[in-house]
Amino acid sequence: MQTGERESRAWAAWLIIVLGLGLLVLAMAFSITKGAAEIPLKTVWDALFHFNPEDTHHLIIMDLRLPRVVASALVGAAFAVAGAVMQGVTRNPMADSGLMGLNAGAGFVLSICFAFFPGLSYIQLILFSFLGSAMGAGLTYGIASLRRGGATPMRLVLAGAAVGALLAALSQGIALYFDVAQSIMFWTAGGVAASSWAQLRIMAPWIAAALLGAVVLSRSVSVMSLGDDVAKGLGLNTMLVKALCAAVVLMLAGASVAVVGAVGFVGLIVPHLARFLVGVDYRWIIPSSAVLGSLLVVLADLGARTLNPPFETPLGAVIALVGVPFFLYLARRERRVL
């Protein structure tokens, strides 16, 4: 890439990040005003800076809607960055925590926790989500690698679909047999309606640390995206980078699934959009993906609340309206490697 083009991409990335953050703040503020009770924007401002515990609207904003939009922004950034890191390291344009079995693995382990260990704390649920994500990813990669030629992008997607369907069926079977279906239904449908400050205090440090780790590793991810041979030729310790990136992805996916459940396609759509806008340098793709992912999930959650009031549409279904056509487009483009 020439110097002029590299500088223009950097300016484009900064523009997207700054404008994206501005739009994110506006979207979050507008989202807080919408719901079963319409709340003026001025009341939102007053609740944030002049909180009155005797005002019902202030309590709704601070205890229900604000943690919801903050959780939407955090998990949107987490899923998007997880997808970007996976796509860069594996050179698989269809990599996504949902398609690769990570979300299904976390959901399966959560169903076991609800059935057999109902008294677990939230931090323990997050840790078990990490283990479940690792299990789902391991099963997917192992199955995709069985055939000659290894784990091609399409084989990984097909294996991920099979593993996801199996783990989802097992999760539902456990939920029905042990009568914990109501507890698990929220994770199955996906959503941020039940998000609370207590959850955010536990989840946010994990996601923040993993996002920072992804930014630190972004240069190495750019090198890995050129291929293992090139990366080794440039002196990169590929095994160490893969291990660190795997830890980052598991933290991002595990913590997010523990909060919002099975929300897919964010990590598939957003990195492709970021790559189209800022180029192939992951030093810009990763922060751009974080901002765009947050914006996507905040807007999707707003849509979930306003499409069919007073009922809520599952967040995962709203995002799938965009994600499924995009997935089919990528599958058609990559069918030659099946």
mmCIF file of all heavy atoms in Angstrom, residues 208-260:
data_model
loop_
_atom_site.group_PDB
_atom_site.id
_atom_site.type_symbol
_atom_site.label_atom_id
_atom_site.label_comp_id
_atom_site.label_asym_id
_atom_site.label_seq_id
_atom_site.Cartn_x
_atom_site.Cartn_y
_atom_site.Cartn_z
ATOM 1 N N ALA A 208 -13.638 -4.934 28.401
ATOM 2 C CA ALA A 208 -12.682 -3.837 28.213
ATOM 3 C C ALA A 208 -11.259 -4.373 28.077
ATOM 4 O O ALA A 208 -10.487 -3.927 27.211
ATOM 5 C CB ALA A 208 -12.775 -2.861 29.383
ATOM 6 N N ALA A 209 -10.894 -5.338 28.928
ATOM 7 C CA ALA A 209 -9.550 -5.916 28.857
ATOM 8 C C ALA A 209 -9.333 -6.640 27.530
ATOM 9 O O ALA A 209 -8.268 -6.531 26.902
ATOM 10 C CB ALA A 209 -9.335 -6.880 30.027
ATOM 11 N N ALA A 210 -10.363 -7.380 27.074
ATOM 12 C CA ALA A 210 -10.233 -8.108 25.811
ATOM 13 C C ALA A 210 -10.173 -7.150 24.620
ATOM 14 O O ALA A 210 -9.411 -7.381 23.671
ATOM 15 C CB ALA A 210 -11.407 -9.081 25.646
ATOM 16 N N LEU A 211 -10.952 -6.063 24.649
ATOM 17 C CA LEU A 211 -10.888 -5.079 23.567
ATOM 18 C C LEU A 211 -9.512 -4.419 23.518
ATOM 19 O O LEU A 211 -8.951 -4.213 22.433
ATOM 20 C CB LEU A 211 -11.975 -4.012 23.761
ATOM 21 C CG LEU A 211 -13.427 -4.458 23.550
ATOM 22 C CD1 LEU A 211 -14.382 -3.322 23.894
ATOM 23 C CD2 LEU A 211 -13.646 -4.929 22.117
ATOM 24 N N LEU A 212 -8.975 -4.092 24.686
ATOM 25 C CA LEU A 212 -7.624 -3.514 24.727
ATOM 26 C C LEU A 212 -6.602 -4.513 24.195
ATOM 27 O O LEU A 212 -5.692 -4.148 23.438
ATOM 28 C CB LEU A 212 -7.284 -3.119 26.159
ATOM 29 C CG LEU A 212 -5.895 -2.505 26.383
ATOM 30 C CD1 LEU A 212 -5.731 -1.226 25.565
ATOM 31 C CD2 LEU A 212 -5.663 -2.219 27.867
ATOM 32 N N GLY A 213 -6.770 -5.793 24.577
ATOM 33 C CA GLY A 213 -5.872 -6.824 24.056
ATOM 34 C C GLY A 213 -5.956 -6.945 22.550
ATOM 35 O O GLY A 213 -4.932 -7.130 21.872
ATOM 36 N N ALA A 214 -7.158 -6.839 21.997
ATOM 37 C CA ALA A 214 -7.326 -6.913 20.539
ATOM 38 C C ALA A 214 -6.618 -5.753 19.851
ATOM 39 O O ALA A 214 -5.992 -5.928 18.796
ATOM 40 C CB ALA A 214 -8.807 -6.922 20.179
ATOM 41 N N VAL A 215 -6.712 -4.549 20.438
ATOM 42 C CA VAL A 215 -6.032 -3.389 19.856
ATOM 43 C C VAL A 215 -4.517 -3.583 19.905
ATOM 44 O O VAL A 215 -3.807 -3.286 18.938
ATOM 45 C CB VAL A 215 -6.449 -2.099 20.605
ATOM 46 C CG1 VAL A 215 -5.595 -0.916 20.154
ATOM 47 C CG2 VAL A 215 -7.920 -1.805 20.368
ATOM 48 N N VAL A 216 -4.002 -4.099 21.024
ATOM 49 C CA VAL A 216 -2.558 -4.348 21.152
ATOM 50 C C VAL A 216 -2.090 -5.371 20.122
ATOM 51 O O VAL A 216 -0.986 -5.259 19.560
ATOM 52 C CB VAL A 216 -2.236 -4.821 22.584
ATOM 53 C CG1 VAL A 216 -0.786 -5.287 22.683
ATOM 54 C CG2 VAL A 216 -2.498 -3.699 23.583
ATOM 55 N N LEU A 217 -2.929 -6.375 19.858
ATOM 56 C CA LEU A 217 -2.567 -7.442 18.917
ATOM 57 C C LEU A 217 -2.883 -7.100 17.469
ATOM 58 O O LEU A 217 -2.598 -7.906 16.574
ATOM 59 C CB LEU A 217 -3.315 -8.727 19.288
ATOM 60 C CG LEU A 217 -2.903 -9.421 20.588
ATOM 61 C CD1 LEU A 217 -3.927 -10.479 20.968
ATOM 62 C CD2 LEU A 217 -1.519 -10.048 20.444
ATOM 63 N N SER A 218 -3.444 -5.932 17.220
ATOM 64 C CA SER A 218 -3.960 -5.620 15.877
ATOM 65 C C SER A 218 -2.866 -5.661 14.813
ATOM 66 O O SER A 218 -3.106 -6.125 13.691
ATOM 67 C CB SER A 218 -4.637 -4.245 15.881
ATOM 68 O OG SER A 218 -3.728 -3.233 16.292
ATOM 69 N N ARG A 219 -1.668 -5.178 15.130
ATOM 70 C CA ARG A 219 -0.585 -5.232 14.135
ATOM 71 C C ARG A 219 -0.242 -6.678 13.792
ATOM 72 O O ARG A 219 -0.038 -7.020 12.618
ATOM 73 C CB ARG A 219 0.645 -4.507 14.666
ATOM 74 C CG ARG A 219 1.799 -4.428 13.653
ATOM 75 C CD ARG A 219 3.042 -3.844 14.305
ATOM 76 N NE ARG A 219 2.830 -2.451 14.682
ATOM 77 C CZ ARG A 219 3.080 -1.430 13.858
ATOM 78 N NH1 ARG A 219 3.514 -1.658 12.627
ATOM 79 N NH2 ARG A 219 2.886 -0.208 14.276
ATOM 80 N N SER A 220 -0.188 -7.532 14.815
ATOM 81 C CA SER A 220 0.111 -8.944 14.574
ATOM 82 C C SER A 220 -1.003 -9.619 13.785
ATOM 83 O O SER A 220 -0.742 -10.490 12.943
ATOM 84 C CB SER A 220 0.319 -9.673 15.910
ATOM 85 O OG SER A 220 1.426 -9.146 16.613
ATOM 86 N N VAL A 221 -2.251 -9.235 14.041
ATOM 87 C CA VAL A 221 -3.373 -9.795 13.281
ATOM 88 C C VAL A 221 -3.261 -9.403 11.813
ATOM 89 O O VAL A 221 -3.540 -10.211 10.917
ATOM 90 C CB VAL A 221 -4.711 -9.327 13.873
ATOM 91 C CG1 VAL A 221 -5.882 -9.812 13.014
ATOM 92 C CG2 VAL A 221 -4.885 -9.832 15.299
ATOM 93 N N SER A 222 -2.812 -8.168 11.540
ATOM 94 C CA SER A 222 -2.613 -7.740 10.148
ATOM 95 C C SER A 222 -1.590 -8.624 9.458
ATOM 96 O O SER A 222 -1.761 -9.022 8.298
ATOM 97 C CB SER A 222 -2.151 -6.275 10.105
ATOM 98 O OG SER A 222 -3.176 -5.410 10.521
ATOM 99 N N VAL A 223 -0.513 -8.953 10.179
ATOM 100 C CA VAL A 223 0.518 -9.818 9.603
ATOM 101 C C VAL A 223 -0.021 -11.233 9.413
ATOM 102 O O VAL A 223 0.213 -11.871 8.379
ATOM 103 C CB VAL A 223 1.778 -9.829 10.495
ATOM 104 C CG1 VAL A 223 2.828 -10.775 9.932
ATOM 105 C CG2 VAL A 223 2.362 -8.424 10.605
ATOM 106 N N MET A 224 -0.776 -11.731 10.396
ATOM 107 C CA MET A 224 -1.345 -13.077 10.284
ATOM 108 C C MET A 224 -2.310 -13.179 9.120
ATOM 109 O O MET A 224 -2.459 -14.248 8.513
ATOM 110 C CB MET A 224 -2.068 -13.443 11.588
ATOM 111 C CG MET A 224 -1.158 -13.697 12.778
ATOM 112 S SD MET A 224 -0.147 -15.180 12.591
ATOM 113 C CE MET A 224 -1.402 -16.433 12.491
ATOM 114 N N SER A 225 -2.982 -12.088 8.788
ATOM 115 C CA SER A 225 -3.943 -12.115 7.685
ATOM 116 C C SER A 225 -3.261 -12.331 6.340
ATOM 117 O O SER A 225 -3.926 -12.637 5.345
ATOM 118 C CB SER A 225 -4.751 -10.815 7.647
ATOM 119 O OG SER A 225 -3.935 -9.712 7.300
ATOM 120 N N LEU A 226 -1.932 -12.190 6.292
ATOM 121 C CA LEU A 226 -1.174 -12.446 5.063
ATOM 122 C C LEU A 226 -0.848 -13.926 4.883
ATOM 123 O O LEU A 226 -0.379 -14.325 3.823
ATOM 124 C CB LEU A 226 0.128 -11.640 5.077
ATOM 125 C CG LEU A 226 -0.015 -10.115 5.197
ATOM 126 C CD1 LEU A 226 1.363 -9.466 5.322
ATOM 127 C CD2 LEU A 226 -0.756 -9.551 3.999
ATOM 128 N N GLY A 227 -1.072 -14.728 5.930
ATOM 129 C CA GLY A 227 -0.780 -16.147 5.861
ATOM 130 C C GLY A 227 0.311 -16.533 6.840
ATOM 131 O O GLY A 227 1.187 -15.720 7.180
ATOM 132 N N ASP A 228 0.278 -17.790 7.298
ATOM 133 C CA ASP A 228 1.257 -18.246 8.285
ATOM 134 C C ASP A 228 2.684 -18.185 7.768
ATOM 135 O O ASP A 228 3.606 -17.794 8.494
ATOM 136 C CB ASP A 228 0.928 -19.689 8.703
ATOM 137 C CG ASP A 228 -0.225 -19.746 9.684
ATOM 138 O OD1 ASP A 228 -0.828 -18.684 9.945
ATOM 139 O OD2 ASP A 228 -0.535 -20.838 10.182
ATOM 140 N N ASP A 229 2.897 -18.570 6.511
ATOM 141 C CA ASP A 229 4.256 -18.586 5.965
ATOM 142 C C ASP A 229 4.845 -17.184 5.916
ATOM 143 O O ASP A 229 6.013 -16.975 6.284
ATOM 144 C CB ASP A 229 4.260 -19.206 4.567
ATOM 145 C CG ASP A 229 3.917 -20.686 4.598
ATOM 146 O OD1 ASP A 229 4.095 -21.302 5.667
ATOM 147 O OD2 ASP A 229 3.459 -21.219 3.566
ATOM 148 N N VAL A 230 4.057 -16.235 5.463
ATOM 149 C CA VAL A 230 4.530 -14.847 5.407
ATOM 150 C C VAL A 230 4.795 -14.323 6.812
ATOM 151 O O VAL A 230 5.808 -13.664 7.073
ATOM 152 C CB VAL A 230 3.501 -13.952 4.683
ATOM 153 C CG1 VAL A 230 3.936 -12.486 4.745
ATOM 154 C CG2 VAL A 230 3.340 -14.398 3.238
ATOM 155 N N ALA A 231 3.878 -14.624 7.739
ATOM 156 C CA ALA A 231 4.033 -14.152 9.115
ATOM 157 C C ALA A 231 5.300 -14.713 9.750
ATOM 158 O O ALA A 231 6.048 -13.983 10.422
ATOM 159 C CB ALA A 231 2.811 -14.539 9.938
ATOM 160 N N LYS A 232 5.564 -16.008 9.538
ATOM 161 C CA LYS A 232 6.781 -16.607 10.080
ATOM 162 C C LYS A 232 8.018 -16.005 9.423
ATOM 163 O O LYS A 232 9.041 -15.783 10.076
ATOM 164 C CB LYS A 232 6.758 -18.124 9.861
ATOM 165 C CG LYS A 232 5.736 -18.846 10.721
ATOM 166 C CD LYS A 232 5.700 -20.334 10.407
ATOM 167 C CE LYS A 232 4.647 -21.044 11.254
ATOM 168 N NZ LYS A 232 4.547 -22.502 10.912
ATOM 169 N N GLY A 233 7.918 -15.745 8.123
ATOM 170 C CA GLY A 233 9.036 -15.126 7.421
ATOM 171 C C GLY A 233 9.358 -13.739 7.933
ATOM 172 O O GLY A 233 10.515 -13.286 7.870
ATOM 173 N N LEU A 234 8.354 -13.042 8.462
ATOM 174 C CA LEU A 234 8.556 -11.704 9.027
ATOM 175 C C LEU A 234 8.949 -11.760 10.501
ATOM 176 O O LEU A 234 9.056 -10.714 11.156
ATOM 177 C CB LEU A 234 7.281 -10.870 8.866
ATOM 178 C CG LEU A 234 6.905 -10.521 7.417
ATOM 179 C CD1 LEU A 234 5.544 -9.833 7.364
ATOM 180 C CD2 LEU A 234 7.971 -9.626 6.790
ATOM 181 N N GLY A 235 9.157 -12.977 11.012
ATOM 182 C CA GLY A 235 9.634 -13.127 12.378
ATOM 183 C C GLY A 235 8.551 -13.163 13.440
ATOM 184 O O GLY A 235 8.859 -13.028 14.629
ATOM 185 N N LEU A 236 7.311 -13.358 13.046
ATOM 186 C CA LEU A 236 6.216 -13.364 14.015
ATOM 187 C C LEU A 236 6.078 -14.749 14.632
ATOM 188 O O LEU A 236 6.155 -15.760 13.930
ATOM 189 C CB LEU A 236 4.908 -12.981 13.322
ATOM 190 C CG LEU A 236 3.712 -12.688 14.229
ATOM 191 C CD1 LEU A 236 3.941 -11.400 15.013
ATOM 192 C CD2 LEU A 236 2.431 -12.569 13.399
ATOM 193 N N ASN A 237 5.895 -14.784 15.938
ATOM 194 C CA ASN A 237 5.639 -16.040 16.642
ATOM 195 C C ASN A 237 4.157 -16.381 16.470
ATOM 196 O O ASN A 237 3.307 -15.957 17.257
ATOM 197 C CB ASN A 237 6.002 -15.906 18.124
ATOM 198 C CG ASN A 237 5.911 -17.232 18.867
ATOM 199 O OD1 ASN A 237 5.198 -18.147 18.456
ATOM 200 N ND2 ASN A 237 6.632 -17.343 19.975
ATOM 201 N N THR A 238 3.848 -17.128 15.427
ATOM 202 C CA THR A 238 2.456 -17.350 15.055
ATOM 203 C C THR A 238 1.684 -18.137 16.110
ATOM 204 O O THR A 238 0.502 -17.860 16.350
ATOM 205 C CB THR A 238 2.361 -18.079 13.705
ATOM 206 O OG1 THR A 238 3.080 -19.309 13.780
ATOM 207 C CG2 THR A 238 2.944 -17.215 12.586
ATOM 208 N N MET A 239 2.323 -19.093 16.751
ATOM 209 C CA MET A 239 1.628 -19.887 17.756
ATOM 210 C C MET A 239 1.224 -19.018 18.950
ATOM 211 O O MET A 239 0.107 -19.134 19.474
ATOM 212 C CB MET A 239 2.512 -21.045 18.228
ATOM 213 C CG MET A 239 2.781 -22.092 17.157
ATOM 214 S SD MET A 239 1.254 -22.860 16.542
ATOM 215 C CE MET A 239 0.688 -23.702 18.009
ATOM 216 N N LEU A 240 2.130 -18.143 19.375
ATOM 217 C CA LEU A 240 1.824 -17.253 20.500
ATOM 218 C C LEU A 240 0.698 -16.282 20.136
ATOM 219 O O LEU A 240 -0.229 -16.055 20.936
ATOM 220 C CB LEU A 240 3.069 -16.475 20.910
ATOM 221 C CG LEU A 240 2.884 -15.441 22.028
ATOM 222 C CD1 LEU A 240 2.420 -16.123 23.302
ATOM 223 C CD2 LEU A 240 4.175 -14.662 22.261
ATOM 224 N N VAL A 241 0.763 -15.726 18.933
ATOM 225 C CA VAL A 241 -0.276 -14.780 18.506
ATOM 226 C C VAL A 241 -1.630 -15.475 18.424
ATOM 227 O O VAL A 241 -2.647 -14.927 18.875
ATOM 228 C CB VAL A 241 0.098 -14.155 17.152
ATOM 229 C CG1 VAL A 241 -1.069 -13.344 16.589
ATOM 230 C CG2 VAL A 241 1.325 -13.270 17.295
ATOM 231 N N LYS A 242 -1.656 -16.685 17.882
ATOM 232 C CA LYS A 242 -2.923 -17.422 17.799
ATOM 233 C C LYS A 242 -3.485 -17.713 19.182
ATOM 234 O O LYS A 242 -4.701 -17.605 19.409
ATOM 235 C CB LYS A 242 -2.722 -18.726 17.025
ATOM 236 C CG LYS A 242 -2.543 -18.538 15.528
ATOM 237 C CD LYS A 242 -2.370 -19.874 14.828
ATOM 238 C CE LYS A 242 -2.221 -19.696 13.320
ATOM 239 N NZ LYS A 242 -2.039 -20.987 12.623
ATOM 240 N N ALA A 243 -2.608 -18.075 20.123
ATOM 241 C CA ALA A 243 -3.071 -18.369 21.481
ATOM 242 C C ALA A 243 -3.636 -17.115 22.146
ATOM 243 O O ALA A 243 -4.694 -17.164 22.790
ATOM 244 C CB ALA A 243 -1.920 -18.938 22.308
ATOM 245 N N LEU A 244 -2.948 -15.993 21.990
ATOM 246 C CA LEU A 244 -3.425 -14.748 22.593
ATOM 247 C C LEU A 244 -4.736 -14.289 21.949
ATOM 248 O O LEU A 244 -5.655 -13.830 22.643
ATOM 249 C CB LEU A 244 -2.363 -13.659 22.448
ATOM 250 C CG LEU A 244 -1.081 -13.859 23.264
ATOM 251 C CD1 LEU A 244 -0.060 -12.785 22.913
ATOM 252 C CD2 LEU A 244 -1.379 -13.827 24.761
ATOM 253 N N CYS A 245 -4.817 -14.421 20.628
ATOM 254 C CA CYS A 245 -6.056 -14.036 19.936
ATOM 255 C C CYS A 245 -7.211 -14.948 20.335
ATOM 256 O O CYS A 245 -8.351 -14.479 20.489
ATOM 257 C CB CYS A 245 -5.842 -14.077 18.427
ATOM 258 S SG CYS A 245 -4.803 -12.737 17.794
ATOM 259 N N ALA A 246 -6.929 -16.230 20.511
ATOM 260 C CA ALA A 246 -7.981 -17.156 20.957
ATOM 261 C C ALA A 246 -8.492 -16.763 22.338
ATOM 262 O O ALA A 246 -9.706 -16.783 22.598
ATOM 263 C CB ALA A 246 -7.447 -18.579 20.978
ATOM 264 N N ALA A 247 -7.570 -16.371 23.231
ATOM 265 C CA ALA A 247 -7.980 -15.939 24.576
ATOM 266 C C ALA A 247 -8.854 -14.686 24.492
ATOM 267 O O ALA A 247 -9.873 -14.574 25.197
ATOM 268 C CB ALA A 247 -6.751 -15.678 25.435
ATOM 269 N N VAL A 248 -8.476 -13.746 23.628
ATOM 270 C CA VAL A 248 -9.254 -12.518 23.459
ATOM 271 C C VAL A 248 -10.657 -12.832 22.940
ATOM 272 O O VAL A 248 -11.662 -12.322 23.465
ATOM 273 C CB VAL A 248 -8.522 -11.551 22.499
ATOM 274 C CG1 VAL A 248 -9.463 -10.449 22.015
ATOM 275 C CG2 VAL A 248 -7.319 -10.930 23.185
ATOM 276 N N VAL A 249 -10.740 -13.686 21.930
ATOM 277 C CA VAL A 249 -12.039 -14.024 21.340
ATOM 278 C C VAL A 249 -12.931 -14.748 22.348
ATOM 279 O O VAL A 249 -14.127 -14.469 22.456
ATOM 280 C CB VAL A 249 -11.841 -14.881 20.072
ATOM 281 C CG1 VAL A 249 -13.178 -15.457 19.596
ATOM 282 C CG2 VAL A 249 -11.216 -14.052 18.967
ATOM 283 N N LEU A 250 -12.350 -15.680 23.110
ATOM 284 C CA LEU A 250 -13.139 -16.409 24.098
ATOM 285 C C LEU A 250 -13.663 -15.472 25.187
ATOM 286 O O LEU A 250 -14.804 -15.616 25.642
ATOM 287 C CB LEU A 250 -12.298 -17.523 24.720
ATOM 288 C CG LEU A 250 -11.937 -18.690 23.796
ATOM 289 C CD1 LEU A 250 -11.062 -19.690 24.524
ATOM 290 C CD2 LEU A 250 -13.178 -19.372 23.255
ATOM 291 N N MET A 251 -12.837 -14.516 25.609
ATOM 292 C CA MET A 251 -13.295 -13.546 26.609
ATOM 293 C C MET A 251 -14.438 -12.689 26.060
ATOM 294 O O MET A 251 -15.446 -12.471 26.741
ATOM 295 C CB MET A 251 -12.130 -12.662 27.048
ATOM 296 C CG MET A 251 -11.111 -13.366 27.922
ATOM 297 S SD MET A 251 -9.647 -12.343 28.249
ATOM 298 C CE MET A 251 -10.388 -10.990 29.190
ATOM 299 N N LEU A 252 -14.288 -12.219 24.835
ATOM 300 C CA LEU A 252 -15.313 -11.364 24.236
ATOM 301 C C LEU A 252 -16.612 -12.128 24.029
ATOM 302 O O LEU A 252 -17.704 -11.653 24.399
ATOM 303 C CB LEU A 252 -14.816 -10.800 22.905
ATOM 304 C CG LEU A 252 -13.668 -9.793 22.981
ATOM 305 C CD1 LEU A 252 -13.127 -9.489 21.590
ATOM 306 C CD2 LEU A 252 -14.130 -8.499 23.654
ATOM 307 N N ALA A 253 -16.520 -13.315 23.428
ATOM 308 C CA ALA A 253 -17.729 -14.084 23.138
ATOM 309 C C ALA A 253 -18.362 -14.624 24.407
ATOM 310 O O ALA A 253 -19.584 -14.552 24.586
ATOM 311 C CB ALA A 253 -17.401 -15.225 22.180
ATOM 312 N N GLY A 254 -17.537 -15.163 25.319
ATOM 313 C CA GLY A 254 -18.085 -15.750 26.541
ATOM 314 C C GLY A 254 -18.795 -14.732 27.410
ATOM 315 O O GLY A 254 -19.920 -14.973 27.881
ATOM 316 N N ALA A 255 -18.170 -13.580 27.638
ATOM 317 C CA ALA A 255 -18.790 -12.546 28.474
ATOM 318 C C ALA A 255 -20.074 -12.020 27.829
ATOM 319 O O ALA A 255 -21.066 -11.763 28.522
ATOM 320 C CB ALA A 255 -17.804 -11.409 28.708
ATOM 321 N N SER A 256 -20.069 -11.871 26.515
ATOM 322 C CA SER A 256 -21.252 -11.334 25.829
ATOM 323 C C SER A 256 -22.416 -12.310 25.856
ATOM 324 O O SER A 256 -23.560 -11.917 26.114
ATOM 325 C CB SER A 256 -20.895 -10.985 24.378
ATOM 326 O OG SER A 256 -19.889 -9.994 24.334
ATOM 327 N N VAL A 257 -22.144 -13.587 25.609
ATOM 328 C CA VAL A 257 -23.221 -14.588 25.615
ATOM 329 C C VAL A 257 -23.820 -14.714 27.012
ATOM 330 O O VAL A 257 -25.032 -14.920 27.168
ATOM 331 C CB VAL A 257 -22.704 -15.947 25.110
ATOM 332 C CG1 VAL A 257 -23.750 -17.038 25.306
ATOM 333 C CG2 VAL A 257 -22.338 -15.855 23.634
ATOM 334 N N ALA A 258 -22.997 -14.564 28.049
ATOM 335 C CA ALA A 258 -23.502 -14.643 29.417
ATOM 336 C C ALA A 258 -24.495 -13.526 29.718
ATOM 337 O O ALA A 258 -25.331 -13.652 30.607
ATOM 338 C CB ALA A 258 -22.341 -14.583 30.415
ATOM 339 N N VAL A 259 -24.416 -12.430 28.951
ATOM 340 C CA VAL A 259 -25.317 -11.303 29.175
ATOM 341 C C VAL A 259 -26.507 -11.329 28.227
ATOM 342 O O VAL A 259 -27.658 -11.204 28.650
ATOM 343 C CB VAL A 259 -24.560 -9.967 29.018
ATOM 344 C CG1 VAL A 259 -25.510 -8.781 29.132
ATOM 345 C CG2 VAL A 259 -23.480 -9.861 30.073
ATOM 346 N N VAL A 260 -26.256 -11.474 26.924
ATOM 347 C CA VAL A 260 -27.327 -11.297 25.933
ATOM 348 C C VAL A 260 -27.756 -12.590 25.262
ATOM 349 O O VAL A 260 -28.748 -12.606 24.527
ATOM 350 C CB VAL A 260 -26.916 -10.280 24.844
ATOM 351 C CG1 VAL A 260 -26.574 -8.962 25.470
ATOM 352 C CG2 VAL A 260 -25.755 -10.796 24.010
#
